[in-house]
Amino acid sequence: MAMNYPMPTQTANVHSTATEAEHSNIESFLTVEQFEQLRSIMIPMKAATTSHLFWEGDPTANLYYIQKGKVKLRKSTEEGREFIFSILQAGDLICETLDGSVVHHSYTAEVIEHAEIGVIGWNELEGLLKQNGDMAIRFMSWMTLSHRITQSKFRDLLLFGKPGALASTLIRLSNSYGVLTPTGIRIDLKLTNAELADFIGTTRESVNRLLHSFKEDGIIEMISGKITIIKLDALRGVCQCPTCPACSKSVCRI
């Protein structure tokens, strides 16, 4: 049976395609000169699909700048369940703060598309930031935005149930990987229903039912194995997108 969803009462400040979305990568926060300084301390590395940059529990000695490819961040629970935090792409920086108390990674970074990585040692980065106060402030601003992205995901997971969490995930995927087509916004990233379930902490069967309901209501379509969003406003209504305090084109991403 089709489900009835509340419609948004105002226009959400969320862009519908990845090309329109404001970049929240580290390069957009730094000046050209500062980014070149950061690049100068990167050690190049290639990583094949299904390989791992690091495992949960490994020492947090490095940061990883994705120059090419895609990397999935996931975490395992004691019960053996896995959660997907994010799927990052070129331009993203993987950074888990080394603050004296956190000395091990709290998640695993798995390469899902052949990647070229710039590895940055924490000691080298700290030396660079000590020499350049403006760069340090800009780096802190980027870290603040990264935390806002994470907090906004938790908001959608906790406040609006599984339908809202799935709707939010689809919107974020469209902002990060969306391609505008004549029929709607195609999420140009193939994900299984089990992977979508891992984004929102539910079962594959639950995601199957929710996607089926969305399709019945004409909100989404499955075209060539990829999800196409037909009614973006309907998805926004499910997760109350217009009332989200973190609703901006730089925060609402996967």
Side-chain angles (χ1 to χ4, degrees), residues 48-49 54 62 103 137 152 212 242 244:
T49 304
F54 55 81
N62 300 310
V103 293
I137 292 173
S152 68
H212 180 71
C244 172

Side-chain angles (χ1 to χ4, degrees), residues 3 5 156 160-170 200 210 214 235 238-239:
M3 299 171 65
Y5 303 104
D156 294 338
F160 303 112
K162 302 308 179 188
L166 180 58
S168 168
T169 298
L170 294 177
I200 65 175
L210 289 169
F214 287 170
L235 285 182
V238 179
C239 56

Side-chain angles (χ1 to χ4, degrees), residues 99-113:
D99 60 5
S101 60
V102 179
V103 293
H104 296 94
H105 285 290
S106 59
Y107 50 79
T108 295
E110 178 186 353
V111 178
I112 61 173
E113 182 183 285

Side-chain angles (χ1 to χ4, degrees), residues 159-190:
L159 297 185
F160 303 112
K162 302 308 179 188
L166 180 58
S168 168
T169 298
L170 294 177
I171 292 171
R172 292 172 187 277
L173 284 167
S174 75
N175 287 338
S176 297
Y177 296 100
V179 176
L180 196 60
T181 72
T183 56
I185 306 168
R186 185 182 73 243
I187 298 173
D188 205 25
L189 181 69
K190 280 193 175 182

Side-chain angles (χ1 to χ4, degrees), residues 231-251:
K231 297 178 180 178
L232 182 61
D233 280 349
L235 285 182
R236 289 171 173 169
V238 179
C239 56
Q240 299 187 25
C241 192
T243 64
C244 172
C247 191
S248 76
K249 53 190 175 182
S250 61
V251 174

